[in-house]
Amino acid sequence: MRTAIISDVHGNLDALRVVMDHIDTQSVDRTICLGDIVGYGPNPVECVDIVADRCEWALMGNHDFGVLYEPTNFNAIAEQAAYWTRAQFDNGEDPQGAERRWRFLGQLRVRVKDGAFLCVHGSPRAPINEYMFPDDAMNSPVKMQQIFDRIERYGMVGHTHVPGVFTDEPDFYSPADLNNTYELTNTEKAIINPGSVGQPRDYDPRASYAILDEGHVEFHRLEYDVVAVAQKIRMIPELNDWLGERLIEGR
Ligand code: ZN
């Protein structure tokens, strides 16, 4: 079975469409989403509709949580974007759609055990908010140990917007280190991050996602019109221009 893994769409419809079109060419059996469908980007409503329609299940990210409940630990730019996002769902033009979307956001799951994988947005230790940064493999061995102690063999996370694979060595491998393919082994634990569809932060602005196949993970990057999305963000006063600039820089 081939499973497409998307994460951190962040209301970026242009990126999501390109990724979904690519998934359609990859003999994928199903698609799953690791959270943060909304927040930052200019098209949260459309992105929720696509994820609700196309994904077998989706996780609750900190931005989904922030829009649904309250923004916790957000900086001023992210908080303002969260309130703007909430207003898009409640604009009054489509009350039935609003009801359906709020219900969808409300039933997002915090952790899913999917076959051999424990799937969370943040980390197995703190599923919604904790980051697993690539540097943690070098600098935070205790944190890594506590995280790996919480998974049997394999895990999936999003949240950092940086694609790659953590192993219990501990180590971190970027897709470039892996030639875009990671072979799952029975000897090491591994946690996969598919990167971000809508706001990559590894200085590569292309949309990122991954495909899990029997025994290996493939990382994919796709170009889309980043400048057009930055322009959409510029036209919305409540979304800070920096949210568009960072898309262009991929950070
Ligand atoms: Zn995110």
Side-chain angles (χ1 to χ4, degrees):
M1 181 167 66
R2 279 168 70 75
T3 301
I5 310 161
I6 65 169
S7 190
D8 296 278
V9 174
H10 283 293
N12 187 335
L13 178 63
D14 303 60
L16 181 59
R17 280 202 179 124
V18 166
V19 167
M20 285 301 177
D21 286 350
H22 191 258
I23 288 172
D24 287 340
T25 68
Q26 297 296 304
S27 305
V28 160
D29 299 292
R30 62 179 190 141
T31 301
I32 59 177
C33 174
L34 304 184
D36 275 4
I37 304 162
V38 301
Y40 298 136
N43 294 102
V45 171
E46 296 90 335
C47 290
V48 164
D49 285 348
I50 290 173
V51 170
D53 182 45
R54 296 284 309 265
C55 293
E56 186 177 289
W57 51 259
L59 292 173
M60 172 85 70
N62 56 314
H63 286 261
D64 309 312
F65 184 95
V67 169
L68 182 66
Y69 298 104
E70 53 188 289
T72 40
N73 305 321
F74 279 22
N75 62 39
I77 290 173
E79 183 180 281
Q80 194 185 22
Y83 289 131
W84 176 83
T85 300
R86 184 183 290 171
Q88 304 319 297
F89 289 98
D90 276 337
N91 71 4
E93 282 168 21
D94 177 13
Q96 280 181 338
E99 168 67 24
R100 188 178 71 243
R101 291 172 190 122
W102 283 125
R103 207 180 314 120
F104 176 77
L105 288 172
Q107 52 85 56
L108 293 174
R109 295 163 71 185
V110 172
R111 47 182 280 151
V112 171
K113 188 79 198 317
D114 189 285
F117 284 81
L118 176 66
C119 309
V120 293
H121 179 69
S123 88
R125 193 168 67 164
I128 294 182
N129 274 302
E130 184 172 57
Y131 291 93
M132 284 185 70
F133 290 113
D135 285 354
D136 289 339
M138 284 289 284
N139 302 336
S140 306
V142 174
K143 173 181 176 181
M144 294 298 284
Q145 164 117 37
Q146 289 187 357
I147 285 171
F148 274 101
D149 281 350
R150 284 169 166 79
I151 63 166
E152 274 173 49
R153 172 74 48 197
Y154 303 125
M156 292 181 198
V157 299
H159 197 34
T160 61
H161 303 198
V162 177
V165 179
F166 294 90
T167 65
D168 59 347
E169 193 70 37
D171 231 327
F172 176 80
Y173 302 96
S174 72
D177 296 332
L178 299 165
N179 220 350
N180 296 318
T181 303
Y182 175 72
E183 302 288 338
L184 297 165
T185 70
N186 289 321
T187 51
E188 64 185 358
K189 292 186 176 183
I191 298 178
I192 314 299
N193 189 323
S196 169
V197 170
Q199 195 196 76
R201 294 182 191 161
D202 59 349
Y203 298 95
D204 178 346
R206 295 176 299 165
S208 180
Y209 84 101
I211 295 175
L212 171 67
D213 205 332
E214 307 299 331
H216 72 270
V217 179
E218 306 159 12
F219 290 91
H220 294 276
R221 295 305 281 255
L222 299 165
E223 281 182 20
Y224 70 96
D225 194 343
V226 180
V227 173
V229 179
Q231 180 59 18
K232 275 196 216 179
I233 290 171
R234 234 174 269 128
M235 300 299 287
I236 299 168
E238 293 87 347
L239 298 181
N240 191 287
D241 290 354
W242 155 241
L243 296 173
E245 285 154 29
R246 71 185 302 177
L247 292 183
I248 292 167
E249 294 172 28
R251 74 183 176 104

Short mmCIF file of all heavy atoms in Angstrom, two decimals, residues 3 5 30 32 34 57 59 114 117-122 124 154-158 190-194 212:
data_model
loop_
_atom_site.label_atom_id
_atom_site.label_comp_id
_atom_site.label_asym_id
_atom_site.label_seq_id
_atom_site.Cartn_x
_atom_site.Cartn_y
_atom_site.Cartn_z
N THR A 3 1.01 5.25 0.81
CA THR A 3 0.32 6.27 1.59
C THR A 3 1.01 7.61 1.40
O THR A 3 2.20 7.74 1.71
CB THR A 3 0.36 5.91 3.09
OG1 THR A 3 -0.26 4.64 3.29
CG2 THR A 3 -0.36 6.97 3.93
N ILE A 5 1.77 11.27 2.63
CA ILE A 5 1.76 11.95 3.93
C ILE A 5 1.94 13.45 3.67
O ILE A 5 2.99 13.88 3.17
CB ILE A 5 2.90 11.47 4.83
CG1 ILE A 5 2.96 9.94 4.90
CG2 ILE A 5 2.77 12.07 6.24
CD1 ILE A 5 4.31 9.42 5.39
N ARG A 30 -3.94 6.02 -0.49
CA ARG A 30 -4.64 6.88 0.46
C ARG A 30 -3.71 8.02 0.86
O ARG A 30 -2.49 7.93 0.70
CB ARG A 30 -5.07 6.10 1.71
CG ARG A 30 -3.87 5.54 2.44
CD ARG A 30 -4.25 4.78 3.69
NE ARG A 30 -3.02 4.50 4.44
CZ ARG A 30 -2.91 4.56 5.76
NH1 ARG A 30 -3.96 4.87 6.50
NH2 ARG A 30 -1.76 4.32 6.34
N ILE A 32 -2.88 10.86 4.13
CA ILE A 32 -3.12 11.23 5.52
C ILE A 32 -2.48 12.60 5.76
O ILE A 32 -1.60 13.02 5.01
CB ILE A 32 -2.55 10.18 6.50
CG1 ILE A 32 -1.04 10.01 6.30
CG2 ILE A 32 -3.27 8.85 6.34
CD1 ILE A 32 -0.39 9.04 7.28
N LEU A 34 -0.86 15.36 8.73
CA LEU A 34 -0.31 15.45 10.09
C LEU A 34 -0.61 16.78 10.78
O LEU A 34 0.02 17.09 11.79
CB LEU A 34 1.20 15.19 10.06
CG LEU A 34 1.65 13.87 9.43
CD1 LEU A 34 3.17 13.70 9.56
CD2 LEU A 34 0.94 12.67 10.06
N TRP A 57 -7.51 10.41 7.28
CA TRP A 57 -7.63 11.04 8.59
C TRP A 57 -6.65 12.21 8.65
O TRP A 57 -5.73 12.31 7.84
CB TRP A 57 -7.41 10.07 9.75
CG TRP A 57 -6.18 9.22 9.71
CD1 TRP A 57 -6.12 7.91 9.33
CD2 TRP A 57 -4.84 9.61 10.07
NE1 TRP A 57 -4.82 7.47 9.43
CE2 TRP A 57 -4.01 8.49 9.89
CE3 TRP A 57 -4.26 10.79 10.54
CZ2 TRP A 57 -2.64 8.49 10.14
CZ3 TRP A 57 -2.90 10.81 10.79
CH2 TRP A 57 -2.11 9.68 10.59
N LEU A 59 -4.62 15.00 11.60
CA LEU A 59 -4.29 15.30 12.99
C LEU A 59 -4.57 16.76 13.33
O LEU A 59 -4.65 17.62 12.45
CB LEU A 59 -2.80 15.03 13.25
CG LEU A 59 -2.33 13.59 13.19
CD1 LEU A 59 -0.80 13.54 13.29
CD2 LEU A 59 -2.95 12.75 14.30
N ASP A 114 -1.19 4.21 13.37
CA ASP A 114 -1.52 3.77 12.02
C ASP A 114 -0.55 2.66 11.64
O ASP A 114 0.60 2.93 11.29
CB ASP A 114 -1.42 4.95 11.05
CG ASP A 114 -1.96 4.62 9.68
OD1 ASP A 114 -1.28 3.90 8.94
OD2 ASP A 114 -3.09 5.07 9.36
N PHE A 117 3.15 2.82 12.84
CA PHE A 117 3.52 4.23 13.06
C PHE A 117 2.65 4.91 14.11
O PHE A 117 1.43 4.85 14.04
CB PHE A 117 3.39 5.02 11.75
CG PHE A 117 4.50 4.76 10.77
CD1 PHE A 117 4.47 3.64 9.96
CD2 PHE A 117 5.56 5.64 10.67
CE1 PHE A 117 5.50 3.39 9.06
CE2 PHE A 117 6.59 5.40 9.78
CZ PHE A 117 6.56 4.27 8.96
N LEU A 118 3.32 5.59 15.05
CA LEU A 118 2.61 6.52 15.93
C LEU A 118 2.70 7.90 15.26
O LEU A 118 3.80 8.40 14.99
CB LEU A 118 3.26 6.58 17.31
CG LEU A 118 2.63 7.62 18.25
CD1 LEU A 118 1.18 7.24 18.60
CD2 LEU A 118 3.44 7.78 19.53
N CYS A 119 1.55 8.50 14.98
CA CYS A 119 1.51 9.76 14.22
C CYS A 119 0.98 10.89 15.10
O CYS A 119 -0.08 10.77 15.69
CB CYS A 119 0.60 9.60 13.01
SG CYS A 119 0.99 8.14 12.02
N VAL A 120 1.76 11.99 15.18
CA VAL A 120 1.37 13.17 15.94
C VAL A 120 1.85 14.40 15.17
O VAL A 120 2.72 14.30 14.31
CB VAL A 120 1.99 13.19 17.36
CG1 VAL A 120 1.42 12.08 18.23
CG2 VAL A 120 3.51 13.08 17.30
N HIS A 121 1.29 15.56 15.51
CA HIS A 121 1.74 16.78 14.83
C HIS A 121 3.11 17.23 15.34
O HIS A 121 4.02 17.53 14.57
CB HIS A 121 0.72 17.90 15.02
CG HIS A 121 1.14 19.19 14.38
ND1 HIS A 121 1.20 19.34 13.01
CD2 HIS A 121 1.55 20.38 14.90
CE1 HIS A 121 1.62 20.57 12.71
NE2 HIS A 121 1.84 21.22 13.84
N GLY A 122 3.26 17.28 16.69
CA GLY A 122 4.47 17.87 17.28
C GLY A 122 5.53 16.83 17.60
O GLY A 122 6.50 16.68 16.87
N PRO A 124 6.00 12.79 19.93
CA PRO A 124 5.31 11.76 20.73
C PRO A 124 5.21 12.12 22.21
O PRO A 124 4.35 11.60 22.92
CB PRO A 124 6.18 10.51 20.51
CG PRO A 124 6.82 10.74 19.18
CD PRO A 124 7.10 12.22 19.14
N TYR A 154 8.25 3.00 14.77
CA TYR A 154 8.22 4.10 13.83
C TYR A 154 7.24 5.19 14.25
O TYR A 154 6.24 4.91 14.91
CB TYR A 154 7.81 3.61 12.43
CG TYR A 154 8.68 2.52 11.88
CD1 TYR A 154 8.12 1.32 11.45
CD2 TYR A 154 10.06 2.70 11.77
CE1 TYR A 154 8.92 0.31 10.93
CE2 TYR A 154 10.86 1.70 11.25
CZ TYR A 154 10.29 0.50 10.84
OH TYR A 154 11.08 -0.49 10.33
N GLY A 155 7.56 6.41 13.86
CA GLY A 155 6.66 7.53 14.13
C GLY A 155 6.63 8.49 12.95
O GLY A 155 7.47 8.43 12.04
N MET A 156 5.65 9.39 12.97
CA MET A 156 5.56 10.49 12.00
C MET A 156 5.24 11.76 12.76
O MET A 156 4.40 11.74 13.66
CB MET A 156 4.40 10.28 11.02
CG MET A 156 4.52 9.17 10.07
SD MET A 156 3.04 9.16 9.03
CE MET A 156 3.16 7.47 8.41
N VAL A 157 5.90 12.85 12.38
CA VAL A 157 5.61 14.17 12.96
C VAL A 157 5.65 15.22 11.84
O VAL A 157 6.20 15.00 10.77
CB VAL A 157 6.64 14.57 14.04
CG1 VAL A 157 6.65 13.58 15.20
CG2 VAL A 157 8.05 14.69 13.46
N GLY A 158 5.08 16.39 12.15
CA GLY A 158 5.19 17.55 11.26
C GLY A 158 5.77 18.70 12.08
O GLY A 158 6.79 18.55 12.76
N ALA A 190 12.68 4.95 13.85
CA ALA A 190 12.73 6.11 12.97
C ALA A 190 11.46 6.93 13.09
O ALA A 190 10.37 6.40 13.27
CB ALA A 190 12.90 5.66 11.52
N ILE A 191 11.63 8.26 13.02
CA ILE A 191 10.51 9.19 13.00
C ILE A 191 10.64 10.05 11.75
O ILE A 191 11.66 10.70 11.53
CB ILE A 191 10.47 10.06 14.27
CG1 ILE A 191 10.28 9.17 15.51
CG2 ILE A 191 9.36 11.11 14.17
CD1 ILE A 191 10.28 9.93 16.83
N ILE A 192 9.58 9.99 10.93
CA ILE A 192 9.58 10.64 9.61
C ILE A 192 8.91 12.01 9.72
O ILE A 192 7.85 12.13 10.32
CB ILE A 192 8.72 9.82 8.61
CG1 ILE A 192 9.03 8.33 8.67
CG2 ILE A 192 8.80 10.39 7.20
CD1 ILE A 192 10.42 7.99 8.35
N ASN A 193 9.51 13.03 9.11
CA ASN A 193 8.82 14.32 8.94
C ASN A 193 8.72 14.58 7.43
O ASN A 193 9.74 14.68 6.75
CB ASN A 193 9.59 15.45 9.63
CG ASN A 193 8.80 16.75 9.67
OD1 ASN A 193 8.09 17.09 8.72
ND2 ASN A 193 8.93 17.49 10.76
N PRO A 194 7.49 14.68 6.91
CA PRO A 194 7.33 14.86 5.45
C PRO A 194 7.61 16.29 4.99
O PRO A 194 7.57 16.56 3.79
CB PRO A 194 5.85 14.52 5.23
CG PRO A 194 5.18 14.94 6.50
CD PRO A 194 6.18 14.63 7.60
N LEU A 212 4.84 6.95 1.85
CA LEU A 212 5.27 5.73 2.55
C LEU A 212 4.84 4.53 1.73
O LEU A 212 3.66 4.39 1.41
CB LEU A 212 4.61 5.69 3.94
CG LEU A 212 4.76 4.40 4.74
CD1 LEU A 212 6.20 4.16 5.14
CD2 LEU A 212 3.87 4.45 5.98
#
